[in-house]
Amino acid sequence: MPSTRTPARFYSPLAIGAPEPLRQLPVRLERMIHFVPPHNAKIRARLAETIASVDVLLGNLEDAIPAEDKEAARRGFIEMAQQHDFGTTGLWVRINALNSPWALDDIIEIVSAVGSKLDVMMLPKVEGPWDIHYLDQLLAQLEAKHQIDRPILIHAILETAEGVSNVEEIAAASPRMHGMSLGPADLAASRGMKTTRVGGGHPDYGVLADAGSGGPRGFFQQDLWHYTVARMVDACVRNGIKPFYGPFGDFSDDAACESQFRNAFIMGCVGAWSLHPKQIAIAKRVFSPDPNEVAFAKRILEAMPDGTGAVMIDGKMQDDATWKQAKVIVDLARLVAAKDPGLASAYGI
Ligand code: GLV
Ligand code: MG
C-alpha cells in the first residue's frame, strides 16, 4: 500500500480553505532550538531578551513538564506567543505525544489562539508516517477554520526504535515536514540501550586495541549516535527537510556538549537543542561556519567561477564536487552574516 499521496495530489491542501502547502522550506537560520518551560514566571519575565539571542524559541509542553503543570504550560505558551513580537526568531511549540491525554487540546487550543504566529509544531515520539498524516490533517482543518494563511510546519522527534525504522517514510510523509531531531534519551529507553545519559557518549562503548602489541592496550570511545544521525541526515536531505541533533543533558560538561554538536554539524545537521542558556553560545559557535573555512571556501568559488574543472589551491585538488562543498559553507555563512554583524565582518560578507 502506498504510504503517501500521488505526486499529482501531494501539494493539495488537506482541507478546503487551508493554505497551500509549501514546495520548499523558507530559508531560515536555525542553529539552536531553545527550549523554555512556558509556565515558569521567572523565565517568562526574561523572554524579550531570550528571543533576541536565539534563532528559534520553543515552548516545551512535553517531557520535563510535570503532569499537574501541563495546562498551565499550554496557557503560558499561548500568552507568551500573544505578548511578544518574534521578528526573525522562529516560534515553535513541542506538544505532548499523540497518545497522551493532552495532545488534542494542545493542538486545538494553540492553533486556535496563536496559529498565525506559530512557525513549527514539534511532534514527539513519532513512530511512522501515520502520526504525521494525522497531525497534517488536523492542522489543515484548524488552519481553514481560523483563516491561517501560512502552513504550520511539523518537526518530528526521532526517538523510538520504530521511528528509526520508518525514518524515510516519516521524512517523506507530507509537504508540511520541516525536519527532524534526534531524541537520544527516549531512543535509548526504547531500544534498551544501557545508558542513562541524555546524549553524548558512554565510557564503555568503544574499541579496544589488539592484544599482543606489547604495551598497554588503547581503548577508543565511539559515538553511540553515529548510525542514527547518519540515517536521519540522509532521510531529511533526500526530502529537502532539515536534520537536527537534539538535547545534551550534562550541563556540567560543555566540552562534551560542544563535541556532540560538532559531530552532528559535520555530519550534516543544521542545529541542535539548547536546554540551558549556556548551550545557546555553544550552538552558535558550532553551527556557524569557521571564518577560516569560509575564507578557503570563498577562494574555491572564486577560482572556479562556473563550478567546473579542476584547480590546485594550497596544494589541495579542487573540482566540481569540492566547489559544491564550498558553496554549502558560503551559503551558510551568508545566512549567519545576515543575523550576526560580528560574524559578517569575520566572514568578509
Ligand atoms: C528528547 O526528547 C529525548 O528523548 O532525548
Ligand atoms: Mg524525548
Side-chain angles (χ1 to χ4, degrees), residues 35 62-63 94 124-125 157 159 182-187 198-199 247 273:
F35 273 53
E62 199 224 9
D63 292 356
R94 177 168 81 165
K125 307 192 175 48
I157 311 182
E159 54 181 352
L182 174 76
D186 272 301
L187 183 55
V198 177
W273 301 1

Side-chain angles (χ1 to χ4, degrees), residues 218-248:
F219 178 80
F220 305 95
Q221 205 179 314
Q222 305 288 299
D223 181 356
L224 276 175
W225 307 109
H226 178 82
Y227 156 80
T228 316
V229 171
R231 284 202 64 184
M232 181 181 74
V233 168
D234 282 345
C236 286
V237 174
R238 174 174 184 232
N239 287 283
I241 68 173
K242 293 168 139 185
F244 291 71
Y245 176 74
F248 189 87

Side-chain angles (χ1 to χ4, degrees), residues 229 233 237 242-244 262-271 287:
V229 171
V233 168
V237 174
K242 293 168 139 185
F244 291 71
R262 184 156 283 116
N263 283 351
F265 176 63
I266 293 173
M267 287 271 292
C269 291
V270 300
F287 292 99

